């Protein structure tokens, strides 16, 4: 599904559209011009309290009735358990309007920019 960027991904401000591809219930691929990101469903890993500013909600056209998808950028490493996840600034997708953007959570101080995936793997 194609999305219009209304809040750019930090460091990639020149990309105005991305395609989101679902890999499975946990992993997604976000593809832009000459770049792609691996995204992960945070709710499959942990309790996650997403507090978004009203300004960001307005830019994303989010209302109480909006169908939104919240994913986090993951830096994939080898071995996989060495991968890290950015929980402090998720990427929000408004599925109704096809608008997306990266936000810095109002409660970002509760989360890490580089939380190891190993913290959430069973048996680790």
């Amino acid at each position: 599904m194609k999305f219009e960027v209304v809040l750019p991904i930090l460091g990639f401000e020149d990309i105005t559209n991305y395609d989101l591809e679902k890999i499975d219930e946990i992993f997604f691929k976000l593809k832009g011009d000459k770049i792609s990101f691996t995204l992960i469903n945070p709710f499959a890993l942990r309790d996650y309290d997403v507090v978004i500013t009203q300004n960001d909600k307005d830019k994303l056209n989010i209302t109480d009735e909006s169908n939104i998808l919240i994913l986090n950028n993951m830096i994939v490493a080898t071995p996989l358990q060495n991968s890290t996840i950015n929980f402090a600034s998720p990427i929000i997708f408004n599925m109704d309007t096809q608008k997306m953007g990266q936000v810095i959570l109002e409660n970002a101080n509760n989360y890490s920019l580089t939380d190891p995936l190993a913290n959430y793997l069973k048996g680790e």
Side-chain angles (χ1 to χ4, degrees), residues 110-122:
N110 295 338
Y111 300 106
S112 172
L113 292 170
T114 57
D115 206 350
L117 178 62
N119 291 347
Y120 305 98
L121 298 177
K122 293 179 181 170

Side-chain angles (χ1 to χ4, degrees), residues 19-36:
D19 285 310
L20 182 66
E21 174 187 324
K22 184 176 184 177
I23 297 170
D24 59 26
E25 294 304 313
I26 298 174
F27 294 102
F28 294 76
K29 183 65 76 175
L30 188 64
K31 297 178 183 177
D33 294 335
K34 303 176 187 167
I35 187 82
S36 69

Side-chain angles (χ1 to χ4, degrees), residues 51-63 106:
V51 181
I52 305 169
T53 67
Q54 187 60 51
N55 185 50
D56 288 345
K57 286 180 184 178
D58 291 344
K59 288 181 181 176
L60 291 162
N61 297 123
I62 293 175
T63 67
E106 282 196 87

